[in-house]
Amino acid sequence: MQFYLQEAESVFRQLNSSANGLTAEEAEKRLAANGKNKLDEAKKDSLIKRFFAQMLDPMVIILIVAAIISAVLAVVEGVQAGKAPGVGDFADVIIIMTVVIINAALGVYQDSKAEAAIQALQEMSAATSKVLRDGKVTTVKSEDVVVGDVILLEAGDAVPADCRLFECASVKAEEAALTGESVPVTKLIEALNGGEKGEVALGDRKNMVYSGSSIVYGHGKAVVVATGMQTEMGKIADAITKAEEGLTPLQIKLAQLSKILTFLVVGICVFIFGFDIIRELVAGDGFSGVGDFFEKALDFFMVAVSLAVAAIPEGLVAVVTIVLSIGVTSMSKRRAIIRKLTAVETLGCAQIICSDKTGTLTQNKMTVVDYYGDDQALLAKGMALCSDAEINADGSETLGEPTECALVNYAFTLGMNKSDLSAAAPRVTEAPFDSMRKMMSTVHEENGRIIQFTKGAPDEILKKCTAILRNGQAVAMTDEIKAQILAANKAMADKALRVLALSYKLLEAVPTDPSPEAIENELVFVGLEGMIDPCRPEVKDAIAECREAGIRPIMITGDHRDTAIAIAKELGIITSEDEAITGAQLNDISDGDFEEKVKLYSVYARVQPEHKVRIVNAWRKVGMVTAMTGDGVNDAPSIKSADIGIGMGITGTDVTKNVADMVLADDNFATIVNAVEEGRKIYDNIRKAIHFLLSSNLSEVLTIFAASLFGFVILKPTHLLFINLVTDCFPALALGMEKGESNLMKRAPRKSTDGVFSGGVGFDVAYQGVLVTIFTLVAYYIGAKVLGVNAPDPGAHGMTMAFLTMSMCEIFHSFNMRSQRQSVLRMGFVEKSHNWFLYGAMVASLVLTTAIIEIPFLANAFDFINIGLAEYGVALGLAFAIIPIVELVKLIQRKVSKQ
């Protein structure tokens, strides 16, 4: 119901209540019928459920399938051998499942954000409220407030439910968390005019107070019209639980990669198995019987499984998770706290940053920035005295209504502490502010004289002035002087400043009748003060950096259009007023039309929470990766709907922080730029790691495939697992520690549609995989046919050399991956850019590879034999050749790219 459009009497009739409230008996009935005044609680997934949810990732599913196949084969081989399989027979299974469990454990770190957000919303609600029951003032738990209750409100109270005011004495409510309005809203009791559409924006419903807001000035009475999930706060809570979280760009790319690998693995297994069967029938000895068929078929299946193991990058899932975790730690050092691991890389491709104005782009602190008048000191002094805000001795804390705090702070900057002023000129009487006359007056005794200060809206103050202070003297007010004052007022208003005027009058004695009618006349005009919630000083440069990085900033605020435009122009978000639109105008645009027009607007004013979600979704529907920043409760649904939600750590509400993917510890918009840079670097590094792992796995597939074609065993599944999980993982992790390249924040954001193989990565993976395959096959041939021709087991000799060559080749190849196109030699020797983690990974991998070849019980477990220095020399020489060859190809690619 639109109670704000109705008179109070009509509201009471509809709610079956009165100005005296409900009876205790009726309140109990309504509480039993409608439930408590609190928000619905979200269901929390158990730890076990969240753990197994981590295993639904396609890459993890492939690993689990591989482990199951390996376990079945171990059992079958045991049965064939006539013995029960031991722990060693399940080595492959143990290794794979260890990777799966570690990855799942790393993933289970985040509780349900929706539940945490709802809980935070509940904590914001008032604990107790004063209501009229049976005509008497009674304090009840806020959760026991019901529709129809009459609430007594005064300064400092938290509003427990959505209410329609019917008595109001200068009430002002702080609604920034709900509407984004930085200035407390002056309330009234009259019915509002909804215009042609019969509705009024949330921030303009001045006869309503809402759950989650607070009273900062005055007192009044209101009747409850909505409780619990029916309140505006409840609608936000509902929107949070309904907001859909999409997959991040990296998750999408890995899912696509998983699908490709799945088809590849199945295709390879089927092809090799069928090829071996056909070859045995055509070129081999055929099958002597059913038993012989099953025995040979099992051998062929083992070869196919070897290829499957070779095709699956078992370490990829763990490497990506760990590199993202490293990124989280790095970002926290730059004041950006990541709550959702995959949000790290999403930052790297952010194209749109939708930001709330109040508290994010601005300081959420009203500040005097301009004045008009002959006597600045008297102006500041009078404004401070004619206010109820107070300041401590060192000026570090001001308490009171934000506008009045700004006046007191301004006086302090001019060397006048409100406490000292009040001591020298104590207030003896006053005419309090009310919204009808738009002014207030205070009378002070100072050095034996009585002086009255009156402050308020400039046009109203001018009506009461008969003179103006000029050069220390009161000069008669003229139409020309009034025109000058109004022009100064308009100049400030055009800059979106909130303007107050000050006047004074010397009295002979303290007035016996301090009513406005008696004392607010024949005043002397002193001047004007203009204030605004100023921009954060670092934001303008941050927005310029965003634009340089190809990121478009969008301002979304509940504040007035003129204020939003002024701030946006100052920050460089817009250059024309045509780029701004209000929530009311947005209501007239259909979703389809808005998707076509969304690129026209960079400022949205007087918006409601549902508008913010709609704006974020419109940008996402046109294919833009969208971030949303904010601190108020009203930002929470859109923060959750965005590709990446960014909350404010200091001024942000718990609600916003709990649904955000990232929280800015310093509330600094500029920190987002640092986070974007870090996100781009991390994505680059993950891509380098994927490139490296896939080229390594391709070489394994091609090597096993070639060996099976020629009928010999070059590497076993256990060897491939060791290479994938040990030899390859250390360098891949080290690549995740690379520093960002110099042009990182000079290039446009990558497209969310760019695949893992975009930008020439597919070609690079292919030719580099072929190179490693050739070196490995050559090493096997030299080991089996040349250096090991007289060995007891030439095949094992060749297998050992092939394993050593492939392992070391992939280690050396990891250095090529430091940059896709830049020369690694130039990076190391000219630019002096070193990745010491990669050096350490090379040493660790070399030590471990040598250990399983040279330590007898490990060598026996892997079916290796001892080899001499000559074999090591040949293997390392072949492996190192990958660097100069790839350097030559990079040189050609750079020249082709320039042309």
Side-chain angles (χ1 to χ4, degrees):
M1 297 293 292
Q2 296 171 308
F3 294 106
Y4 48 86
L5 300 180
Q6 304 172 29
E7 295 294 343
E9 293 78 7
S10 175
V11 175
F12 280 124
R13 283 196 300 272
Q14 291 189 56
L15 299 176
N16 292 320
S17 184
S18 70
N20 293 322
L22 302 171
T23 64
E25 182 182 1
E26 177 63 20
E28 286 294 330
K29 289 180 181 178
R30 296 190 182 193
L31 185 64
N34 302 320
K36 288 189 175 290
N37 176 35
K38 63 179 185 178
L39 303 175
D40 293 343
E41 296 184 2
K43 293 181 180 178
K44 184 178 181 180
D45 289 338
S46 66
L47 185 66
I48 297 296
K49 186 175 180 180
R50 283 183 283 129
F51 179 82
F52 283 106
Q54 299 293 322
M55 298 186 182
L56 296 178
D57 185 282
M59 289 295 295
V60 177
I61 291 172
I62 291 176
L63 291 182
I64 293 172
V65 171
I68 292 171
I69 293 173
S70 297
V72 171
L73 289 177
V75 172
V76 171
E77 288 178 339
V79 171
Q80 285 184 327
K83 64 181 181 68
V87 176
D89 298 313
F90 291 100
D92 298 358
V93 182
I94 293 170
I95 292 172
I96 293 174
M97 290 310 298
T98 299
V99 171
V100 169
I101 291 170
I102 290 174
N103 182 72
L106 286 170
V108 182
Y109 72 98
Q110 184 180 13
D111 290 325
S112 169
K113 291 191 293 180
E115 185 201 9
I118 298 295
Q119 183 63 36
L121 280 166
Q122 290 174 328
E123 290 173 0
M124 286 180 64
S125 301
T128 60
S129 300
K130 293 187 289 291
V131 302
L132 285 179
R133 295 270 174 91
D134 296 320
K136 299 176 182 178
V137 177
T138 305
T139 299
V140 300
K141 290 183 179 179
S142 291
E143 64 178 27
D144 292 336
V145 167
V146 298
V147 171
D149 261 330
V150 168
I151 306 287
L152 281 68
L153 298 168
E154 58 187 33
D157 287 348
V159 180
D162 290 0
C163 308
R164 168 69 161 85
L165 285 161
F166 66 90
E167 285 188 16
C168 177
S170 304
V171 172
K172 292 185 181 182
E174 173 63 67
E175 298 177 346
L178 274 170
T179 66
E181 178 77 62
S182 56
V183 177
V185 179
T186 300
K187 296 296 181 177
L188 46 79
I189 61 174
E190 291 78 13
L192 304 179
N193 184 353
E196 294 180 2
K197 297 179 182 176
E199 63 179 57
V200 178
L202 183 66
D204 294 324
R205 298 173 190 169
K206 296 189 176 181
N207 55 10
M208 301 284 293
V209 286
Y210 291 100
S211 172
S213 63
S214 59
I215 307 302
V216 297
Y217 192 86
H219 58 85
K221 291 181 183 178
V223 59
V224 175
V225 299
T227 59
M229 294 299 290
Q230 302 306 311
T231 63
E232 292 296 327
M233 183 77 81
K235 293 175 185 176
I236 293 173
D238 190 49
I240 291 171
T241 57
K242 289 180 179 177
E244 296 181 2
E245 291 189 26
L247 296 174
T248 69
L250 181 62
Q251 287 174 319
I252 293 170
K253 301 303 172 298
L254 290 179
Q256 293 170 346
L257 178 60
S258 300
K259 189 178 293 185
I260 293 170
L261 288 175
T262 300
F263 285 120
L264 183 65
V265 168
V266 173
I268 287 171
C269 288
V270 172
F271 177 79
I272 291 299
F273 184 75
F275 177 84
D276 284 342
I277 293 288
I278 293 171
R279 185 179 62 180
E280 185 66 20
L281 289 171
V282 175
D285 299 329
F287 304 104
S288 59
V290 176
D292 183 49
F293 171 78
F294 279 111
E295 184 177 345
K296 289 183 177 179
L298 182 60
D299 291 337
F300 299 153
F301 185 64
M302 284 296 295
V303 173
V305 169
S306 296
L307 270 173
V309 172
I312 300 171
E314 285 85 0
L316 179 58
V317 175
V319 166
V320 169
T321 303
I322 292 170
V323 170
L324 286 173
S325 300
I326 293 169
V328 168
T329 303
S330 179
M331 282 188 170
S332 67
K333 295 177 181 176
R334 302 184 76 171
R335 313 295 290 168
I337 301 166
I338 301 297
R339 298 188 68 252
K340 187 176 180 183
L341 211 56
T342 46
V344 177
E345 55 84 22
T346 313
L347 273 168
C349 57
Q351 297 163 297
I352 303 293
I353 296 180
C354 297
S355 173
D356 184 53
K357 176 185 72 68
T358 306
T360 306
L361 299 174
T362 64
Q363 300 174 26
N364 198 17
K365 181 182 179 182
M366 293 298 289
T367 305
V368 175
V369 294
D370 200 359
Y371 81 96
Y372 169 85
D374 267 19
D375 192 332
Q376 183 185 12
L378 180 62
L379 177 63
K381 172 185 173 181
M383 288 286 197
L385 285 170
C386 191
S387 69
D388 294 322
E390 298 295 337
I391 191 170
N392 61 5
D394 62 2
S396 60
E397 184 178 11
T398 311
L399 299 175
E401 193 268 338
T403 300
E404 293 196 335
C405 286
L407 302 176
V408 171
N409 284 329
Y410 181 61
F412 185 84
T413 62
L414 299 178
M416 293 177 281
N417 189 301
K418 168 73 183 294
S419 299
D420 298 334
L421 294 176
S422 297
R427 185 183 301 185
V428 291
T429 190
E430 64 183 291
F433 175 87
D434 72 58
S435 57
M436 297 300 293
R437 70 185 210 283
K438 298 180 181 179
M439 65 181 72
M440 71 176 287
S441 298
T442 56
V443 180
H444 305 263
E445 184 176 348
E446 181 183 34
N447 298 326
R449 67 173 185 169
I450 306 298
I451 186 169
Q452 170 190 327
F453 290 111
T454 301
K455 81 172 195 301
D459 52 345
E460 297 298 326
I461 293 290
L462 270 178
K463 294 176 184 178
K464 307 289 185 181
C465 291
T466 57
I468 182 173
L469 187 67
R470 288 281 173 88
N471 299 318
Q473 300 293 323
V475 178
M477 182 69 70
T478 64
D479 290 341
E480 182 182 354
I481 293 174
K482 278 188 178 181
Q484 292 172 358
I485 295 171
L486 291 173
N489 179 45
K490 184 178 184 302
M492 291 187 190
D494 287 345
K495 293 188 290 184
L497 302 186
R498 185 180 186 199
V499 187
L500 290 179
L502 178 76
S503 60
Y504 80 94
K505 180 166 67 172
L506 294 175
L507 304 172
E508 294 181 357
V510 177
T512 55
D513 177 12
S515 66
E517 296 78 13
I519 66 173
E520 290 176 349
N521 50 57
E522 297 183 352
L523 303 176
V524 179
F525 185 87
V526 178
L528 305 171
E529 283 187 359
M531 65 200 78
I532 197 170
D533 179 14
C535 300
R536 289 179 176 272
E538 67 281 348
V539 167
K540 189 171 184 178
D541 289 340
I543 285 175
E545 286 185 67
C546 282
R547 291 197 177 279
E548 189 176 25
I551 301 168
R552 180 174 175 177
I554 305 291
M555 178 196 288
I556 305 177
T557 179
D559 217 337
H560 294 280
R561 183 175 185 270
D562 291 344
T563 304
I565 288 172
I567 294 292
K569 283 185 175 181
E570 181 181 346
L571 293 174
I573 293 176
I574 62 172
T575 55
S576 168
E577 293 185 8
D578 295 336
E579 298 175 69
I581 186 174
T582 65
Q585 292 172 312
L586 187 56
N587 287 336
D588 295 332
I589 305 175
S590 67
D591 287 342
D593 289 342
F594 185 44
E595 286 176 28
E596 295 178 4
K597 296 178 179 179
V598 68
K599 295 182 180 179
L600 299 177
Y601 307 113
S602 293
V603 171
Y604 297 84
R606 301 309 276 171
V607 299
Q608 297 186 41
E610 57 268 25
H611 290 139
K612 296 188 175 189
V613 176
R614 191 177 170 199
I615 294 162
V616 168
N617 289 340
W619 277 112
R620 294 186 69 192
K621 284 180 181 177
V622 296
M624 306 297 267
V625 177
T626 305
M628 170 68 188
T629 74
D631 57 358
V633 175
N634 61 330
D635 298 325
S638 50
I639 279 180
K640 189 175 182 185
S641 295
D643 292 295
I644 176 164
I646 306 171
M648 300 295 147
I650 299 174
T651 60
T653 59
D654 287 342
V655 185
T656 305
K657 286 185 275 191
N658 284 325
V659 299
D661 302 305
M662 179 178 84
V663 176
L664 304 182
D666 55 2
D667 281 16
N668 192 336
F669 187 89
T671 302
I672 298 173
V673 181
N674 296 333
V676 168
E677 181 180 5
E678 195 71 27
R680 289 186 177 189
K681 182 190 79 174
I682 289 167
Y683 184 83
D684 275 5
N685 291 347
I686 287 175
R687 202 157 176 255
K688 290 170 185 176
I690 292 174
H691 180 172
F692 167 68
L693 291 172
L694 291 182
S695 61
S696 299
N697 280 84
L698 178 62
S699 68
E700 295 167 17
V701 170
L702 294 176
T703 299
I704 298 297
F705 183 65
S708 65
L709 287 180
F710 293 105
F712 64 90
V713 177
I714 188 169
L715 291 170
K716 296 182 177 181
T718 310
H719 303 158
L720 298 174
L721 273 175
F722 182 89
I723 291 173
N724 289 350
L725 293 173
V726 179
T727 306
D728 288 353
C729 273
F730 286 126
L733 287 172
L735 287 171
M737 304 298 291
E738 276 289 332
K739 297 177 182 177
E741 297 184 25
S742 57
N743 67 339
L744 204 59
M745 291 298 284
K746 299 287 191 285
R747 62 197 191 203
R750 70 181 189 278
K751 295 179 181 178
S752 59
T753 54
D754 284 352
V756 173
F757 299 107
S758 63
V761 170
F763 170 77
D764 292 345
V765 167
Y767 90 81
Q768 290 160 9
V770 169
L771 282 177
V772 178
T773 299
I774 292 171
F775 296 146
T776 304
L777 291 172
V778 169
Y780 179 86
Y781 180 83
I782 293 174
K785 304 297 183 181
V786 181
L787 297 178
V789 69
N790 297 320
D793 188 349
H797 199 272
M799 184 187 296
T800 305
M801 277 196 67
F803 174 81
L804 178 61
T805 301
M806 177 173 280
S807 296
M808 297 314 302
C809 193
E810 293 181 5
I811 291 170
F812 287 130
H813 183 46
S814 65
F815 284 87
N816 290 324
M817 294 297 97
R818 293 190 64 198
S819 176
Q820 186 184 358
R821 291 289 177 263
Q822 192 174 348
S823 168
V824 67
L825 299 177
R826 177 179 176 81
M827 290 175 70
F829 295 109
V830 178
E831 297 178 3
K832 304 297 183 184
S833 172
H834 298 285
N835 184 340
W836 297 105
F837 295 100
L838 200 54
Y839 294 136
M842 179 183 71
V843 172
S845 295
L846 178 60
V847 169
L848 290 171
T849 301
T850 303
I852 66 167
I853 293 174
E854 298 299 330
I855 297 175
F857 79 92
L858 290 176
N860 291 334
F862 281 85
D863 294 327
F864 290 143
I865 63 171
N866 290 329
I867 55 176
L869 290 177
E871 285 88 340
Y872 268 99
V874 170
L876 291 175
L878 286 168
F880 185 78
I882 191 77
I883 291 180
I885 294 175
V886 171
E887 281 289 296
L888 179 61
V889 175
K890 283 185 182 180
L891 177 62
I892 296 170
Q893 288 173 324
R894 288 196 298 271
K895 289 189 175 181
V896 170
S897 179
K898 285 182 180 179
Q899 292 176 354

